[in-house]
């Protein structure tokens, strides 16, 4: 992704364009309550895009039931579309997942995912995603 593709808005603009719930997760690094939200138990086919900017992030083909109550994926559709950043907040050592295009928080990456699929678990907030369902 080149610099010209980046989307940057002021926090005032984000506040106007997002729901309060989305603003909290995407812009204030909040976390959806587990087993709530639109997608933790969604099994439809399609592409999950960034709820803030529409960048393609995760294919439903990589979604799996992690039991955590959050939408979980074994991989991104393109690693270039996300930024991974060390996150030491809350006394934990975690890897934050950020939308590279708009700089919004998406969730975290853990390495306790399905081993046969590479071991990654992208734990992403429903409120940070929009599922574009594929025609069936
Ligand atoms: Fe985005």
């Amino acid at each position: 992704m080149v610099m010209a593709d980046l989307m940057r808005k002021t926090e005032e603009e984000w506040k106007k364009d997002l729901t309060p719930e989305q603003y909290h997760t995407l812009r204030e690094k909040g976390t959806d309550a587990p087993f709530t939200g639109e997608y933790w138990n969604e099994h439809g086919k399609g592409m999950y895009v960034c709820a803030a900017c529409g960048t393609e992030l995760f294919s439903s083909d990589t979604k799996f039931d992690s039991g955590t109550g959050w939408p979980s994926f074994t991989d991104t559709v393109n690693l270039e579309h996300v930024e991974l950043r060390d996150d030491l907040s809350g006394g934990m050592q975690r890897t934050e997942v950020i939308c590279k295009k708009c700089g919004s928080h998406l969730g975290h990456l853990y390495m306790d995912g399905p081993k046969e699929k590479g071991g990654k678990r992208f734990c992403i907030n429903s409120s940070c995603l929009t599922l574009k369902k594929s025609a069936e």
Side-chain angles (χ1 to χ4, degrees), residues 7 14 26 50-55 57 99-104 106:
M7 176 195 285
W14 283 124
L26 288 158
C50 175
C53 78
T55 293
L57 297 171
C99 174
K100 197 177 273 183
K101 177 164 178 164
C102 73
S104 293
L106 301 170

Side-chain angles (χ1 to χ4, degrees), residues 15-26:
K15 242 175 217 170
K16 227 170 353 153
D17 295 345
L18 299 170
T19 67
E21 182 192 32
Q22 288 174 325
Y23 184 84
H24 179 60
T25 49
L26 288 158

Side-chain angles (χ1 to χ4, degrees):
M1 194 167 287
V2 294
M3 285 303 282
D5 291 333
L6 297 182
M7 176 195 285
R8 292 293 183 258
K9 297 187 191 182
T10 66
E11 291 309 309
E12 281 314 302
E13 289 172 312
W14 283 124
K15 242 175 217 170
K16 227 170 353 153
D17 295 345
L18 299 170
T19 67
E21 182 192 32
Q22 288 174 325
Y23 184 84
H24 179 60
T25 49
L26 288 158
R27 305 305 308 174
E28 300 180 322
K29 304 185 192 298
T31 302
D32 291 338
F35 305 101
T36 68
E38 223 175 323
Y39 298 130
W40 73 273
N41 199 24
E42 168 68 51
H43 294 90
K45 293 278 175 208
M47 181 64 65
Y48 288 87
V49 305
C50 175
C53 78
T55 293
E56 294 189 348
L57 297 171
F58 301 98
S59 162
S60 61
D61 294 340
T62 63
K63 195 172 188 292
F64 69 103
D65 289 316
S66 63
T68 60
W70 288 285
S72 302
F73 304 88
T74 54
D75 210 351
T76 61
V77 66
N78 186 339
L79 256 187
E80 295 275 291
H81 293 186
V82 299
E83 182 184 335
L84 301 176
R85 199 184 286 171
D86 286 339
D87 176 9
L88 300 176
S89 68
M92 288 171 282
Q93 190 164 4
R94 295 184 292 174
T95 301
E96 183 185 3
V97 184
I98 296 156
C99 174
K100 197 177 273 183
K101 177 164 178 164
C102 73
S104 293
H105 174 81
L106 301 170
H108 289 90
L109 167 61
Y110 302 92
M111 292 309 293
D112 57 5
K115 281 202 177 53
E116 70 281 7
K117 291 186 174 160
K120 293 194 181 102
R121 173 169 64 93
F122 286 87
C123 182
I124 306 297
N125 292 294
S126 282
S127 61
C128 299
L129 296 171
T130 301
L131 173 58
K132 301 280 185 199
K133 285 202 172 169
S134 47
E136 302 201 33

